[in-house]
């Protein structure tokens, strides 16, 4: 279940004025013409799968529903609109806005975390024309980036494989505080395991992690800065002179590894000691502030001392250079220390890799021998450097029960008319084979029964047939009469759905490079409706000549 923290976050971030001004000018024109209460239906979808891939993940639904449930204009909102709309705007319109809410709006949607494909309507929003028009920009804002960064995270997860843990650490690189918070939530849903973002952990229940930066290491210059200098054993007892214990072990580690003690930087050792005394069960330093070799020697001595006092250090972080080669060297040293000092746990200490990781570099890392257990990703994850926007659109498909279709100079911008039902056809193994868009009053496709349809191929269609082993309806009613009709999923629940949904997807469709195109098709009736509207439009109209 979603938390009250999440609801409060949405209300603060997405008030109803977070929209484009032309939504109000259109709403006014509808109101002025007496059309504002006409029943209308809009659909939200995207035109192309992101990152050149074969799929996307749908995200942002919970935020959309919380936004709708609390949609209303305050007196201050209306007063501001009075100041920016043209002076001749009828005063009655502002009274209308003061009473506006979503009590007459209904929404059906794909479950959050589902694998989705281009051209499939993710949301259907129905209600009074002026109201559902006003919702456009806010809903697009809530879905576009959430789905994009969630899909990006899923690709990173596929590149990393199932074993390696992934940590999102992009807050400082994100496009503002809201971008950072949104990224933390939806990268977790997309498959990341951890975040560095403390607020995201509080709001969304995401596991948080983090220890130290290079600045912490370089702030120390002498062992005299270490205080306190003692540490009690984990099981209790008298305090031990921790510096003395570590110094003795450091000489033995250097001897074991054939390293000179002159390599040791006193400030780095002091930083490690100070942190280990503060957090003996959470000791995971970055070891390349000066050189990996120097940092590794200091780490081994401090970690061995912690083990001797019955604590359990965590591991190390590598943040520069050849991460694969360095991780192999570090693991070899861990094994040598484990054997020599008879500390079995030492060889399984964690190695974290962070260094401007991209999807490509993560894929390449996977092809090489390495010992990296956790990968931290920031910039390329949260900024979606390969594609800045998913390009979701929100289009009118029906007014007063009559289908509406946008015909454009750019054929790819044409829309599909009419209120629809969306079905996913599955094979005998449960893999999605095709999504079929039907008019809402059509009979649903049936398992084991051949279906004639028209697959969407760019700007054209191709007649085809399919006999599904299973059929599922893709959307469910999630909002009606101003209320959310289903329990909101927590981030962890949406994450679980996303992982299951991805597991069921055929490997050909989730290849990171040159995936097989997934088929989205129109029913025969919907295809006929599109053809009829196009033919009617091509004939033109002579209404100007009528009396």
């Amino acid at each position: 279940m979603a938390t009250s923290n999440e609801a409060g976050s949405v209300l603060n971030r997405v008030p109803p004025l977070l929209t484009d001004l032309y939504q109000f000018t259109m709403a006014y024109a509808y109101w002025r013409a007496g059309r504002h209460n006409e029943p209308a239906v809009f659909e939200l979808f995207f035109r192309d799968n992101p990152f050149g891939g074969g799929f996307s993940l749908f995200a942002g639904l919970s935020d959309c529903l919380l936004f709708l449930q609390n949609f209303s204009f305050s007196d201050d909102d209306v007063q501001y609109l009075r100041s920016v709309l043209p002076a001749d705007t009828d005063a009655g319109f502002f009274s209308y806005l003061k009473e506006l809410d979503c009590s007459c709006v209904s929404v059906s949607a794909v479950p959050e975390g589902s694998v989705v494909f281009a051209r499939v309507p993710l949301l259907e929003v129905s209600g009074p024309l002026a109201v559902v028009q006003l919702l456009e920009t806010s809903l697009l804002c809530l879905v576009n980036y959430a789905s994009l960064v969630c899909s990006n995270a899923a690709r990173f997860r596929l590149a990393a494989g199932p074993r390696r843990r992934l940590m999102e650490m992009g807050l400082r690189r994100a496009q503002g505080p809201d971008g950072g918070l949104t990224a933390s939530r939806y990268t977790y849903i997309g498959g990341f395991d951890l975040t560095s973002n403390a607020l995201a952990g509080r709001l969304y229940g995401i596991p948080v992690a983090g220890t130290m930066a290079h600045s912490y290491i370089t702030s120390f210059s002498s062992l005299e800065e270490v205080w306190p200098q003692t540490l009690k054993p984990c099981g209790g007892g008298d305090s031990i002179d921790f510096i003395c214990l570590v110094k003795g072990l450091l000489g033995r580690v250097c001897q074991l590894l054939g390293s000179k003690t002159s390599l040791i930087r006193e400030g780095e050792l002091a930083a490690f000691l100070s942190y280990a005394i503060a957090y003996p069960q959470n000791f995971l330093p970055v070891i390349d502030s000066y050189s990996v070799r120097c940092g590794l020697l200091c780490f081994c001595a401090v970690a061995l001392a912690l083990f001797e006092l019955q604590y359990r250090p965590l591991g190390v972080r590598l943040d520069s250079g050849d991460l694969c080669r360095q991780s192999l060297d570090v693991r070899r040293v861990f094994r040598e220390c484990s054997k020599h000092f008879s500390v079995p746990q030492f060889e399984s200490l964690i190695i974290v890799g962070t260094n401007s990781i991209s999807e490509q570099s993560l894929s390449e890392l996977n092809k090489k021998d390495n010992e990296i257990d956790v990968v931290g990703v920031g910039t390329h994850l949260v900024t979606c450097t390969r594609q800045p926007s998913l390009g979701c659109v929100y289009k009118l498909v029906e007014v007063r029960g009559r289908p509406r279709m946008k015909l454009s100079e750019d054929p790819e911008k044409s829309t599909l008319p009419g209120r629809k039902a969306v079905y996913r056809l599955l094979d005998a193994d449960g893999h999605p084979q095709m999504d079929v868009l039907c008019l809402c009053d059509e009979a649903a496709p049936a398992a084991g029964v051949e279906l004639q349809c028209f697959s969407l191929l760019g700007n054209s269609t191709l007649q085809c047939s399919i006999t599904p082993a299973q059929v599922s309806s893709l959307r469910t009613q999630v909002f009606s009469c101003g209320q959310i009709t289903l329990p909101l999923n927590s981030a962890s629940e949406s994450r679980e759905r996303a992982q299951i949904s991805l597991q069921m997807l055929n490997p050909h469709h989730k290849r990171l490079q040159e995936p097989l195109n997934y088929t989205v098709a129109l029913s025969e009736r919907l295809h006929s409706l599109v053809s009829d509207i196009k033919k009617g439009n091509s004939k033109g109209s002579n209404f100007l000549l009528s009396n």
Side-chain angles (χ1 to χ4, degrees), residues 272-309:
F272 286 10
L273 282 162
S274 183
Y275 196 92
I277 291 169
Y279 286 114
Q281 300 280 32
N282 193 44
F283 183 55
L284 194 154
V286 57
I287 62 170
D288 61 347
S289 296
Y290 302 107
S291 76
V292 171
R293 186 67 176 178
C294 170
L296 183 57
L297 293 171
C298 291
F299 169 79
C300 289
V302 175
L304 285 167
L306 289 172
F307 274 118
E308 190 167 318
L309 299 181

Side-chain angles (χ1 to χ4, degrees), residues 436-463:
V436 178
L437 313 184
C438 304
L439 293 173
C440 63
D441 59 352
E442 289 188 66
V449 178
E450 185 179 34
L451 175 70
Q452 298 293 325
C453 53
F454 290 81
S455 61
L456 290 170
L457 299 171
N459 302 321
S460 61
T461 58
L462 177 67
Q463 189 167 14

Side-chain angles (χ1 to χ4, degrees), residues 121-195:
L122 311 177
L123 292 178
E124 179 195 83
V125 184
S126 60
L129 179 57
V131 179
V132 291
Q133 180 69 68
L134 283 169
L135 300 176
E136 175 184 10
T137 304
S138 302
L139 293 179
L140 287 172
C141 183
L142 288 169
V143 170
N144 255 314
Y145 178 65
S147 297
L148 181 72
V149 76
C150 190
S151 303
N152 200 26
R155 292 179 62 86
F156 272 85
R157 168 49 68 198
L158 290 171
R163 180 189 66 84
R164 209 182 310 273
R165 302 189 79 196
L166 294 176
M167 177 177 172
E168 176 272 318
M169 45 192 299
L171 179 58
R172 65 187 60 196
R173 305 281 189 250
Q175 287 94 337
D178 185 60
L181 193 61
T182 302
S184 296
R185 178 181 183 181
Y186 292 109
T187 55
Y188 178 66
I189 290 174
F192 273 60
D193 303 287
L194 305 160
T195 182

